[in-house]
Structures are given as structure tokens and as C-alpha cells.
């Protein structure tokens, strides 16, 4: 059903693989549409409790396919192509993991930054490539980057556009787990499946209100937490968690 | 209660709850629904056990609009003779507090219905809007008037002309809604608020509501004359005596609505 990506669901995890390996998984308008559609499917399907976005071949994603967009208004490419993808990732109340298998450049880096977790292969790297063609970081890059690494570092990375090897990305706080190449597949799977067996509803609420915390003051956040706790307190997973604790056994969460 | 088919109603702990119930069509409002809604509200109005009313839809949609099928073949004269908005006008005569709890889509006639509520609680994911312009018409049940009164002429024109959806955050910013709450809790928070109102002096609630709506339409002078009369009127109530006595005696007042 998709041509530029693949989508499959295994053990409550939706695996989305950007699949234009000969173009280092560069974005085309078709890939925007397909990725958005895959994210919407993952959001809708109840059995999906975690999402992994990764790349086929040696790159994660090299950003915009420059061979593809010359005559277009870049602003509209963002509004119609990238921005809905970023919004879908952020508004999805399930954990979204970027499994950064190789280079993540330009909007490819933005895509990884917008995800909730970044598992990063030792051989991967990030590049704020926009400046090298006289452009500005986009697709949420200017929003997420300073929140991940701080303003000063974000300025440095975005303006100088130097390659950020995995090790350095890890030091900067861009990385959830640095993963050895030989155990890549296994570790990504283990991490994703761990998340997909957790209390999904609570994860969704955490994600929702962490995001909202950026434009709220303490009093608002205190109220968000109160609302979120009421909602979380009504979930089956909360009851299961308490019951398991009392019965001294491991809880089995169903994501509801 | 009555045999409603487009809405579901219940009374619990002093609160009359109405849920719009045409989920297959995203609660599109047809004439029958308005008739049933009015009947339910009027029953609640006459029921001493009901202190406040909560109106809601479901999580996907409060109401996505009016039922277009029902009106697509109408002309000016059939609409004039049908006079369908007379029931909408009667919704405005309900004197008990009405709180709308909005999740999901709240468009067109659905938005107009929401604006018939005294207060609005909305889910973070609620979307409001008047897309009528996309169908070559415009709001007909008070949308243009009420939106303008709420947000002012400039912003109202922009929203009505473009017909684009407004997020809950924008609606809050423009004073169209009272509160944003988590989607899971819209109804329960609205009910909780309604229960708080249910503890207040009922006649005060009633006359404050009336006076605030007059304040929207009247000049300051006329509004203040109206306010004054209602202020005086409350001094003929038992609750005023009780309220002031309780204040002096440093105890909680017990109001009876008399």
C-alpha cells in the first residue's frame, strides 16, 4: 500500500521504515503523505501502543529531496508536507521512537528531534544541514533543538551546521540510548516492546502535559497534573498496577 | 423520562444532563433534535430537583453541524413558514444555568447550540467553527451575532469569512469558552461545576443570569437600572434574609430558592 515507506505492526509496536535507501530516505511529497497516513493509522489502531520510525539502508533520513522541490514555495512544502507529520507525532498520545540507524540530516534531524525518544546507532550522526544551502532549520527543528540542548548550543549547531557524531549527540542530550551496531535490531526491539507493554494511557498523558508545560506557568501545570491524575486514576492500568503491587506480582498493563 | 430518540437525558444529584445522541452522523442537529432538546430543557426547568443543566455530545463530536440533508431543498418561503428557529428562541428562555461540555467537533449549528449555553467547558481537542460559508450560506441560529458579541467585530468577521476551525485554546483566548479541560474529564468537570452552582442561592443565580444577558444588549444606563430592580427584588426573598443572617451569625447559609 505504501511505496516510499513500509508499515507493519508486531507485538503492539507499529514499525514505520522510511524506504528510499538509494536516496538516503530523502523526503518527497509522496513520502510526506505516506508517513502522515502511517502515523494516523498507528494513532487510530488500538493495539498499537508504541511507534518506531527508522530508515532503510545506511541512512535514517537525509531531509528534503532537493532534486524534487525547486519550483515550489518552501513555506507551502512545510505547511502541507512536513508540518502535519510533526504535528501528528506530537499530538499522538503514544510513545514515538526515532530509531536513528544512520545519518539524520536537515528535516531528517528535525523528524528525530520531534520524536519522544531517540535510539541512536553508534555509526549514526546528526547534521543541521540547512545552513549549507542558505536555509533555516525547519519542521520543528527551531522548537525542539533548544529544548533538547539549550539555546546556546542550538544556535551553535544550527548556524555552524557541523556534523554531530553519535557520541557527541549523546553528550549533548539528544540521545535516549546509544546503541552498538551489532546489537542494533535487538536493542531497538527490546526498547520498543518495553514501551508497548507499559501503561499507554499514562504515557500519553505525560506526553500531552509535558508538551503543554512549555506554554504554561506553574499554577497551570499544577492544574494540568491534577486533571491528568484524575484521568490516569480512572484507567484499568492504574487499578492493575495497584493490585499487582498489593499481590506482589508483576503488573500486566493493557494500555487502557 | 420522555421517549427521546436523538438525545439521552438523566437527572443525578440535582443536575439535569442532556447528551446529544446521533453518533453515526456526528450528532448533526436535525429539527427533531432541537424539539427534543427544548422539551428536555423545559422539563428540567420545571423540575425542582434540577438545579443546573449540563449539555454534552460525545468524545468525537459535540455536534458537527446542522443536518444538511434536511434543509438542502428548502427555499426562503418554506423556511419562513417552517419558522424552525422559534424553538431555538425558546432555548434562551431557560432560566436555570446551562453548562455546555464540548469535545471534538463543534461546528455550524453545533457551535450555535453550544453558544446557547451559559458557560462552556471544552476538551483540549475540541474544535469550533462556522463553516457555513463553504456551503454558500451563513449561520442562521445566532452564530454571527453571538460570536461578534463575544470576540468583537474584527475577529468575528475573520472566523466567519474563512470558515476555518478554531482550537480550544483560541476559543479560550477570545473569550468564547470558559475553561479547557482534559478530554477524558470534560463532562465530569462540567458536572462538578454545575454541582457547585447547585449549592448557590437559586434566585440569585437566576437573576444574575438574566441581568448579565441584558447587560450584553442594553446600554450601561439601562443595564444598571435593570440590575438595580433585580437587586431590590432579591430583598423580597427568604434566601436574602437567611443569607444575611447567616453572614452575621458566621455560619453557612441554607438556601431554599424562595
Amino acid at each position: 500500500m505504501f511505496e516510499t515507506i513500509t508499515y507493519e505492526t508486531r507485538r503492539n509496536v507499529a514499525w514505520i521504515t522510511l524506504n528510499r535507501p538509494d536516496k538516503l530516505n530523502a523526503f518527497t511529497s509522496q513520502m510526506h503523505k505516506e508517513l502522515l497516513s502511517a502515523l494516523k493509522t498507528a494513532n487510530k489502531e488500538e493495539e498499537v501502543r508504541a511507534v518506531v520510525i527508522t530508515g532503510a539502508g545506511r541512512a535514517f533520513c537525509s531531509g528534503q529531496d532537493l532534486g524534487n522541490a525547486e519550483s515550489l514555495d518552501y513555506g507551502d512544502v512545510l505547511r502541507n508536507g512536513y508540518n502535519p507529520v510533526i504535528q501528528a507525532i506530537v499530538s499522538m498520545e503514544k510513545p514515538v521512537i526515532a530509531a536513528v540507524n544512520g545519518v539524520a540530516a536537515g528535516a531528517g534531524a528535525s523528524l528525530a528531534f520531534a520524536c519522544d525518544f531517540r535510539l541512536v546507532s553508534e555509526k549514526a550522526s546528526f547534521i543541521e544541514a540547512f545552513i549549507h544551502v542558505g536555509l533555516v532549520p525547519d519542521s520543528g527543528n527551531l522548537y525542539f533543538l533548544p529544548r533538547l540542548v539549550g539555546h546556546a548550543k542550538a544556535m551553535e549547531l544550527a548556524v555552524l551546521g557541523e556534523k554531530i557524531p553519535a557520541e557527541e549527540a549523546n553528550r549533548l542530550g539528544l540521545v535516549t540510548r546509544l546503541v552498538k551496531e551489532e546489537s542494533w535490531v535487538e536493542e531497538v526491539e527490546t526498547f520498543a516492546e518495553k514501551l508497548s507493554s507499559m501503561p499507554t494511557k499514562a504515557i500519553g498523558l505525560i506526553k500531552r502535559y509535558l508538551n503543554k508545560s512549555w506554554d504554561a506557568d506553574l499554577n497551570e501545570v499544577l492544574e494540568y497534573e491534577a486533571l491528568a491524575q484524575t484521568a490516569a486514576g480512572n484507567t484499568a492500568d492504574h487499578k492493575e498496577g495497584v493490585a499487582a503491587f498489593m499481590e506482589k506480582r508483576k503488573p500486566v498493563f493493557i494500555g487502557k | 423520562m420522555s421517549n427521546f430518540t436523538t438525545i439521552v437525558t438523566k437527572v443525578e444529584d440535582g443536575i439535569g444532563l442532556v447528551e446529544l445522541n446521533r453518533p453515526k452522523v456526528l450528532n448533526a442537529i436535525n429539527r427533531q433534535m432541537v424539539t427534543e432538546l427544548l422539551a428536555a430543557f423545559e422539563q428540567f426547568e420545571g423540575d425542582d430537583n434540577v438545579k443546573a443543566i449540563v449539555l454534552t455530545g460525545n468524545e468525537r463530536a459535540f455536534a458537527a453541524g446542522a443536518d444538511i440533508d434536511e434543509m438542502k431543498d428548502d427555499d426562503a418561503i418554506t423556511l419562513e413558514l417552517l419558522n424552525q428557529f422559534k424553538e431555538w428562541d425558546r432555548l434562551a428562555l431557560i432560566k436555570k444555568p446551562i453548562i455546555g461540555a464540548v469535545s471534538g467537533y463543534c461546528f455550524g449549528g453545533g457551535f450555535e447550540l453550544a453558544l446557547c449555553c451559559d458557560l462552556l467547558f471544552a476538551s483540549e481537542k475540541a474544535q469550533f467553527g462556522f463553516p457555513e460559508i463553504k456551503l454558500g450560506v451563513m449561520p442562521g441560529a445566532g452564530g454571527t451575532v453571538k460570536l461578534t458579541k463575544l470576540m468583537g467585530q474584527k475577529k468575528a468577521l475573520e472566523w466567519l469569512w474563512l470558515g476555518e476551525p478554531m482550537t480550544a485554546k483560541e476559543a479560550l483566548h477570545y473569550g468564547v469558552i470558559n475553561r479547557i479541560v482534559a478530554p477524558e474529564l470534560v463532562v465530569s468537570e462540567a458536572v462538578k461545576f454545575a454541582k457547585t452552582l447547585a449549592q448557590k442561592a437559586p434566585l440569585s443565580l437566576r437573576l444574575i443570569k438574566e441581568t448579565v444577558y441584558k447587560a450584553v444588549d442594553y446600554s450601561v444606563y439601562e443595564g444598571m437600572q435593570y440590575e438595580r430592580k433585580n437587586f431590590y427584588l432579591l430583598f423580597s426573598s427568604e434566601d436574602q434574609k437567611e443569607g444575611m443572617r447567616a453572614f452575621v451569625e458566621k455560619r453557612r447559609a441554607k438556601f431554599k430558592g424562595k
Side-chain angles (χ1 to χ4, degrees):
Chain A
M1 103 177 150
F2 295 126
E3 286 170 6
T4 63
I5 66 167
T6 64
Y7 179 90
E8 59 172 324
T9 311
R10 300 195 299 269
R11 288 189 286 279
N12 302 109
V13 180
W15 293 82
I16 300 173
T17 307
L18 310 178
N19 192 28
R20 301 181 71 223
D22 52 324
K23 300 280 184 194
L24 301 178
N25 304 319
F27 272 107
T28 60
S29 61
Q30 187 184 357
M31 195 154 106
H32 291 136
K33 283 194 199 89
E34 295 188 352
L35 180 54
L36 182 62
S37 152
L39 288 166
K40 283 185 173 167
T41 305
N43 185 42
K44 227 179 327 179
E45 283 180 349
E46 250 184 60
E47 68 271 21
V48 171
R49 293 166 60 193
V51 179
V52 177
I53 301 175
T54 191
R58 62 196 174 88
F60 173 72
C61 172
S62 59
Q64 175 65 29
D65 190 331
L66 291 171
N68 224 290
E70 282 126 277
S71 60
L72 296 171
D73 176 333
Y74 290 165
D76 285 340
V77 172
L78 291 170
R79 286 183 200 103
N80 303 326
Y82 288 97
N83 296 357
V85 167
I86 302 301
Q87 283 157 342
I89 291 170
V90 173
S91 65
M92 175 162 8
E93 298 199 340
K94 302 176 181 183
V96 182
I97 303 154
V100 184
N101 52 303
V103 68
S110 308
L111 177 66
F113 298 160
C115 292
D116 304 313
F117 301 96
R118 278 154 297 283
L119 305 181
V120 178
S121 160
E122 278 182 335
K123 68 180 177 80
S125 58
F126 296 89
I127 309 174
E128 292 277 280
F130 304 90
I131 193 72
H132 301 307
V133 289
L135 292 176
V136 295
D138 59 26
S139 307
N141 199 298
L142 294 181
Y143 180 90
F144 294 108
L145 194 60
R147 284 163 171 75
L148 289 164
V149 301
H151 184 105
K153 202 71 199 176
M155 183 70 84
E156 180 186 326
L157 298 176
V159 172
L160 298 182
E162 286 166 359
K163 180 172 166 178
I164 313 158
E167 279 287 350
E168 196 195 334
N170 191 25
R171 271 197 305 279
L172 291 175
L174 286 170
V175 176
T176 309
R177 296 270 166 84
L178 199 58
V179 181
K180 285 195 168 41
E181 204 185 335
E182 56 270 26
S183 54
W184 173 250
V185 174
E186 188 189 319
E187 275 201 48
V188 172
E189 219 165 61
T190 306
F191 187 83
E193 285 172 16
K194 176 190 164 67
L195 279 176
S196 73
S197 60
M198 289 178 70
T200 311
K201 188 73 207 173
I203 295 176
L205 288 164
I206 291 170
K207 177 171 174 175
R208 186 198 299 168
Y209 291 109
L210 266 182
N211 283 332
K212 284 178 75 83
S213 77
W214 291 106
D215 52 20
D217 63 27
L218 174 63
N219 289 333
E220 290 170 300
V221 174
L222 288 170
E223 180 55 25
Y224 291 159
E225 289 170 345
L227 289 171
Q229 208 65 293
T230 302
N234 292 333
T235 61
D237 282 345
H238 168 59
K239 289 176 186 74
E240 165 64 8
V242 173
F245 180 80
M246 303 302 274
E247 294 158 19
K248 299 193 167 97
R249 60 174 173 81
K250 272 187 82 160
V252 180
F253 296 118
I254 56 168
K256 285 178 185 165
Chain B
M1 221 175 225
S2 313
N3 294 330
F4 296 132
T5 60
T6 64
I7 62 173
V8 178
T9 65
K10 67 174 173 187
V11 177
E12 219 172 76
D13 302 331
I15 309 304
L17 188 76
V18 180
E19 196 183 307
L20 305 178
N21 188 35
R22 298 184 76 211
K24 281 183 191 147
V25 289
L26 296 171
N27 288 336
I29 299 173
N30 59 10
R31 287 160 191 154
Q32 187 188 349
M33 189 190 263
V34 179
T35 304
E36 292 187 3
L37 195 61
L38 179 64
F41 278 12
E42 287 183 341
Q43 279 178 29
F44 288 153
E45 183 82 337
D47 182 347
D48 284 344
N49 295 319
V50 175
K51 307 295 181 199
I53 299 168
V54 172
L55 172 65
T56 189
N58 56 49
E59 204 177 320
R60 269 192 82 200
F62 177 79
D67 193 324
I68 302 299
D69 278 342
E70 204 178 49
M71 64 171 99
K72 65 180 192 309
D73 298 323
D74 273 315
D75 60 39
I77 302 306
T78 59
L79 287 173
E80 167 60 29
L81 294 175
L82 184 66
N83 195 15
Q84 61 175 348
F85 293 123
K86 66 178 184 290
E87 287 181 322
W88 288 77
D89 292 343
R90 278 168 65 191
L91 288 175
L93 301 178
I94 303 295
K95 298 203 168 188
K96 289 181 179 172
I98 305 171
I99 302 177
V102 178
S103 281
Y105 305 126
C106 184
F107 293 142
F111 193 6
E112 288 174 307
L113 181 60
L115 291 177
C116 291
C117 299
D118 301 315
L119 303 177
L120 283 174
F121 281 35
S123 147
E124 286 152 0
K125 292 177 183 168
Q127 290 187 305
F128 301 85
F130 286 118
E132 281 87 344
I133 191 156
K134 296 177 180 177
L135 306 183
V137 288
M138 62 180 283
T144 38
V145 180
K146 288 182 182 172
L147 194 69
T148 305
K149 296 264 186 190
L150 289 169
M151 62 167 45
Q153 172 259 318
K154 294 276 182 297
K155 291 314 291 186
L157 263 184
E158 184 180 333
W159 287 108
L160 288 156
W161 271 347
L162 291 179
E164 294 301 321
M166 186 190 306
T167 62
K169 203 171 156 187
E170 287 165 321
L172 183 69
H173 173 76
Y174 293 120
V176 175
I177 61 173
N178 293 80
R179 290 189 190 187
I180 299 181
V181 287
E184 298 85 353
L185 305 173
V186 188
V187 178
S188 58
E189 288 293 310
V191 168
K192 202 192 270 181
F193 193 92
K195 284 180 182 167
T196 305
L197 291 184
Q199 301 305 311
K200 309 276 181 196
L203 289 170
S204 296
L205 286 175
R206 186 181 177 103
L207 295 189
I208 288 171
K209 171 169 171 170
E210 209 177 271
T211 310
V212 165
Y213 281 105
K214 291 294 185 199
V216 175
D217 298 333
Y218 279 5
S219 69
V220 171
Y221 176 78
E222 287 171 302
M224 287 177 71
Q225 297 305 309
Y226 196 86
E227 176 189 69
R228 204 160 298 163
K229 298 295 180 199
N230 276 340
F231 175 69
Y232 297 158
L233 180 55
L234 285 174
F235 277 76
S236 62
S237 71
E238 291 174 30
D239 283 351
Q240 176 265 332
K241 307 279 178 295
E242 162 64 9
M244 293 197 168
R245 202 180 304 125
F247 180 81
V248 172
E249 294 167 7
K250 297 191 167 90
R251 59 172 175 82
R252 250 178 106 96
K254 288 185 74 173
F255 295 118
K256 296 186 294 192
K258 286 180 184 168

